[in-house]
Amino acid sequence: MITKMTKYSMILLSGDLERFLAGVQELGMVDITRSVTGTDGTSKEMTSLIERCRAAESILAAVAKEHPEITAAPASGLSAEQLLKAVEDNTARRNAIASEMETLEKEYRNALPWGEFAPEDVTRLRAAGLTPHFYCVGNKQYSPAWEQQYPMSVLARSAGNTYFVVIGGEEAEYTFPVSDEAAFPARPASQVMKDISALKAEDGKLLEETAGYAPLSGLLQELSGQTFARLDLHLAETSSLLEGEGAISVVEGFAPTADDARVQEYLNNGPCTVYWQSEAAKGSDNPPVKLRNNWFARLFEPVGSLYELPNYDELDLTPYFAPFYMLFFGFCLGDMGYGLILVIAGIAAALALPRFKVYGKLIAWLGVGSLIMPLFSGTFFGMKLADILPMPDNIKALFFSDLKMFWFAIIFGLFQIVFARMLKAIFAFSKRRWDEALTEVGWSLLIVWAACAYAGSQMGTKLLPHIVSQILVFGGLILVLFCSKPAKFFLLRPLKGIVSLYDITSIFGDMLSYIRLFGLGTTGGILALVINSIAMTLSGIPYVGWPVTVIFLIFGHLAVMGLSCLGAFVHPVRLTFVEFYKNVGFEGGGRAYRPLKSYSNNK
């Protein structure tokens, strides 16, 4: 359900605004309405600091993960700001080293084939009026006769090429059979390697320093959190309306009605003089939405958050779709064995990982749904309980065949559709929207009548007494025709209401959507059966047959369970957000309740 909110309108002197909002931040209950977005230099500076802290945290986490072998002594005596600057400086220098290394490695690859030489020898040749000409040709192209015809020297042979130099005099007199000269390196590969080694040593030292900073990443988290709290406060200050030539600030906010006493105590006895008034929040005020559910429905709030929050004036549908979602998940998973694994895994996660306790409990309850729904067909790790357990024939007859599971999926879907429409009718009644409520009652009566009439025709019997059947069909038609299209002239209502009967196509389409429950459950069962069949064939392998069978069963069923869980999560979400939400008339678009809080309150 949605927590009731109180709207507060507050007036105070602008000079007291910062002190007042600091107290509101410590109170941690009031969602301040921001009418103007603060985009001044201060907010940009704080936003930049938060981004820098998070980037530095990522760098430290990456270094700790990628280089666990580094056992550097943790740095100490650094403030959060000093740590941030040290990490950024190290990162900037390491990036520069990486760029220099790339250039040097290219120079090294180019110099390596020329072998060892002294650069000053080339300088002395040029000073003596001699010009060295450097060439690189393939070994097949190279002619040993050149060594007798020209003043030349072979420097190196590498990778099928010959590297040599020809000494020439005046450029006008110089000729050689090879026209294209090669680019000669400015220094030998050995000198380049010295620079590379020096950079590697520097980079290793910087990496070791950075690894020593990793245990202090909590300082960056704290600085980021404190800066975020200051930014939140600053935005609240810059978003308040200024009146009286900037002398007076008008602030608007919302707080849960249950906290009225504490909020009003602060407004009356706080550090600033505040003139305020309060009233029950209305939908037109666009108050924030805070969900308040019991322990079971609260587990499914993360599923509902994948779509949208309800408007303040709407129903919170979480407690209504939660049982359906749990059972739909179990229907799609289609195997009690997989459900048992989910229950165990969920409980273990809730106990071992306190931060993810809610998700662990959710997984466990989805596992409970996966124990309940597959029980109808009696499927356990791809096997049928009726086939593997000794039981009387009258007990075996209780298990559903595939055809019965098909119809069960449709009946289950129709039940949710009727439930959704009746829920919409009850909510409309509470808001005194009589025509809307009666229309939904009419459609619910027609759906129930149509479902019972069709089922009875297939069974060769009447499921409903004649008088009940007439009440359902004629009562439903009357309500739909006379209430779905309100008109000032009452007798025009049925004529306009005829158009509403087209909605039956939408109901039929919604009903067919629930066939996916049967399809996914059956598919998962077939895949599990295939794993069992293949595993049994492997058991015939001499000596290692049964160990291979057990390993294949474990990994095969884990793979099938993972694939089935993916479908079992996605498709019930689709049925919830499309079929159920649509039939309830869900609009959504609410904004989350986000009170102004200090960093200590946020932790």
Side-chain angles (χ1 to χ4, degrees), residues 29 59 115 157 175 232 265 268 334 362 398 401 424 453 523 581:
M29 296 178 181
I59 291 169
R157 286 186 170 88
T175 60
D232 200 17
E265 169 67 20
N268 291 326
L362 176 60
L398 296 177
S401 64
K424 182 179 179 182
T523 301
Y581 274 29

Side-chain angles (χ1 to χ4, degrees), residues 532-594:
N532 293 338
S533 299
I534 296 175
M536 289 303 101
T537 60
L538 295 176
S539 64
I541 301 175
Y543 305 112
V544 296
W546 282 108
V548 171
T549 297
V550 172
I551 293 173
F552 184 82
L553 282 172
I554 293 173
F555 286 98
H557 279 295
L558 285 177
V560 172
M561 187 180 74
L563 184 64
S564 297
C565 283
L566 179 62
F569 174 80
V570 171
H571 290 284
V573 165
R574 194 261 184 201
L575 291 173
T576 299
F577 294 158
V578 178
E579 275 69 33
F580 183 69
Y581 274 29
K582 179 183 69 174
N583 283 286
V584 175
F586 181 81
E587 294 180 2
R591 64 184 183 92
Y593 169 66
R594 186 173 171 269

